[in-house]
Amino acid sequence: MMRYFWIHSVWITGVAFLFGFQGFPVRSVDMQRATDNITIRQGDTAIIRCYVDDKVSKVAWLNRSNIIFAGQDKWSLDPRVDLVTKGQLEYSLRIQKVDVYDEGSYTCSIQTKQQPKTSQVYLIVQVPANIYKVSEDITVNEGSNVTLSCLASGRPDPAITWRLLNPSAEPLDGEEYLDIIGIMRNQAGRYECKASNDVATPDVKYVNVVVNYPPTIKKTQSSETPVGRMGTLQCDATAVPTPEFEWYRDEKRLSNSQGVNIQILGTTTILMIANVTEEDYGNYTCVASNRLGVQNASLFLYRPGTGRDINGSACVSQSLWLLLASCACLFFKC
């Protein structure tokens, strides 16, 4: 209905025609400044003020070359538009549920006994920030290049910021597009895109990024167990997707059977050997795997006090290592 450009000679013809029209006379005048701006948020009600006095014979509202009101007669077909009058002292234009197409120049045109006068007001319509398109949740492999997008509209144009919602949640370098070169596992998580233009509460959307990486065995726990007791070996790994675990004794894969129990609890696996015998002592291998890779680690079930397996392989207890290190230091005078 009402778009942006200033009224020039086009509406002067309309005014000349209008003042030939015998509209209702008014008895008041106090003009707004010759040019003024009114800023309104989309959806709100705008009131564009115009005051008159007893020197005025005729008055009208125009938008560009379109006559909105001539006196009390409404020429506009827009049901959102009406007059605000207090007696005959005010002749203001009210627009309800303002939208962007209402932005533009409005003219209160007044005919006095001496000459015509006009007061122009420019209506600026602001629109809250709105994110209309954002990347979907994604899963990528570690080392991949990732681009997240966040597109928003608003008047004025919104500023877009990104954060990774980890404990620090520091701002990231990116606007509509956030580029992550060679993404690492510690960059996985929930990314927040925020669009703001100070018109209303910022609009916020989220993107979840999953980073796949091969297993890494972080911790192993061997067991010093006497004959007849239960021996427990533990292996912890990190990986995405969650790793699968296998246990081996030498080249033989172990499974749940009489005397052997394998438990898998997320990223931890536990091998339990009930009623340990001399034949159970030795080297065990924990294998963690997913579709991106495999890693294994050796663990030992050994007799108390020996610090070695039954084959005499080097499974030295921590206390024995400390003793050997101390002797070496004395010998070399470190």
Side-chain angles (χ1 to χ4, degrees):
M1 159 183 153
M2 308 168 181
R3 303 180 184 272
Y4 170 75
F5 66 88
W6 291 99
I7 304 172
H8 294 292
S9 58
V10 178
W11 64 265
I12 296 177
T13 303
V15 172
F17 166 77
L18 176 62
F19 287 143
F21 164 82
Q22 299 298 314
F24 103 105
V26 290
R27 298 182 310 197
S28 28
V29 104
D30 176 15
M31 296 291 294
Q32 259 181 305
R33 290 179 296 177
T35 302
D36 201 357
N37 288 339
I38 295 178
T39 300
I40 192 78
R41 184 170 62 181
Q42 183 185 43
D44 289 351
T45 297
I47 298 180
I48 308 174
R49 302 288 181 182
C50 183
Y51 299 95
V52 293
D53 67 12
D54 57 3
K55 297 179 182 179
V56 174
S57 59
K58 296 182 179 65
V59 65
W61 272 108
L62 299 92
N63 171 247
R64 289 170 299 201
S65 59
N66 299 317
I67 300 170
I68 305 172
F69 274 94
Q72 291 284 1
D73 294 331
K74 184 176 180 181
W75 289 38
S76 171
L77 299 178
D78 192 334
R80 301 173 304 131
V81 179
D82 63 351
L83 286 176
V84 176
T85 59
K86 294 180 180 178
Q88 293 181 334
L89 300 178
E90 182 176 0
Y91 188 73
S92 298
L93 184 68
R94 176 166 55 198
I95 307 172
Q96 301 182 59
K97 298 181 180 178
V98 169
D99 211 334
V100 292
Y101 51 76
D102 296 317
E103 182 167 298
S105 181
Y106 292 79
T107 302
C108 180
S109 184
I110 296 170
Q111 177 67 52
T112 67
K113 295 177 182 179
Q114 288 78 24
Q115 60 183 357
K117 294 182 180 180
T118 61
S119 174
Q120 286 187 339
V121 176
Y122 194 86
L123 183 65
I124 299 171
V125 180
Q126 294 187 330
V127 181
N130 174 58
I131 297 174
Y132 60 87
K133 185 177 182 181
V134 67
S135 293
E136 296 182 353
D137 296 346
I138 60 170
T139 299
V140 298
N141 292 340
E142 189 172 43
S144 301
N145 295 333
V146 175
T147 297
L148 303 181
S149 63
C150 181
L151 306 181
S153 61
R155 297 170 63 137
D157 290 337
I160 297 176
T161 57
W162 288 92
R163 292 191 305 165
L164 172 57
L165 298 182
N166 54 18
S168 63
E170 296 178 356
L172 303 172
D173 292 332
E175 295 181 354
E176 289 185 337
Y177 298 95
L178 176 66
D179 293 320
I180 308 171
I181 306 302
I183 193 168
M184 303 300 291
R185 63 191 69 178
N186 62 356
Q187 293 175 293
R190 195 180 196 201
Y191 284 78
E192 174 195 82
C193 169
K194 179 185 292 186
S196 57
N197 61 0
D198 297 327
V199 176
T201 303
D203 194 15
V204 179
K205 294 288 188 294
Y206 302 94
V207 182
N208 293 309
V209 177
V210 176
V211 178
N212 292 330
Y213 57 92
T216 300
I217 295 178
K218 293 293 188 180
K219 180 182 177 182
T220 59
Q221 182 177 325
S222 296
S223 178
E224 182 181 39
T225 306
V227 171
R229 304 294 294 273
M230 176 178 286
T232 302
L233 306 178
Q234 181 172 323
C235 180
D236 298 336
T238 61
V240 177
T242 301
E244 297 180 356
F245 289 100
E246 295 176 346
W247 283 95
Y248 289 85
R249 172 73 190 276
D250 298 325
E251 299 298 323
K252 180 183 178 182
R253 181 180 175 181
L254 302 177
S255 60
N256 287 316
S257 60
Q258 186 175 3
V260 175
N261 187 307
I262 298 173
Q263 293 186 358
I264 298 176
L265 308 171
T267 58
T268 298
T269 180
I270 300 173
L271 173 65
M272 293 182 290
I273 302 173
N275 193 22
V276 169
T277 66
E278 290 287 342
E279 289 74 21
D280 294 322
Y281 291 126
N283 178 41
Y284 292 79
T285 301
C286 165
V287 178
S289 64
N290 65 13
R291 58 185 177 80
L292 297 178
V294 179
Q295 190 171 58
N296 60 65
S298 293
L299 298 87
F300 297 94
L301 180 65
Y302 54 91
R303 292 188 298 270
T306 63
R308 62 179 64 238
D309 63 24
I310 58 172
N311 296 319
S313 61
C315 178
V316 184
S317 67
Q318 184 178 13
S319 58
L320 184 56
W321 273 117
L322 292 174
L323 177 61
L324 292 175
S326 299
C327 291
C329 187
L330 290 173
F331 179 82
F332 292 105
K333 299 181 180 181
C334 59

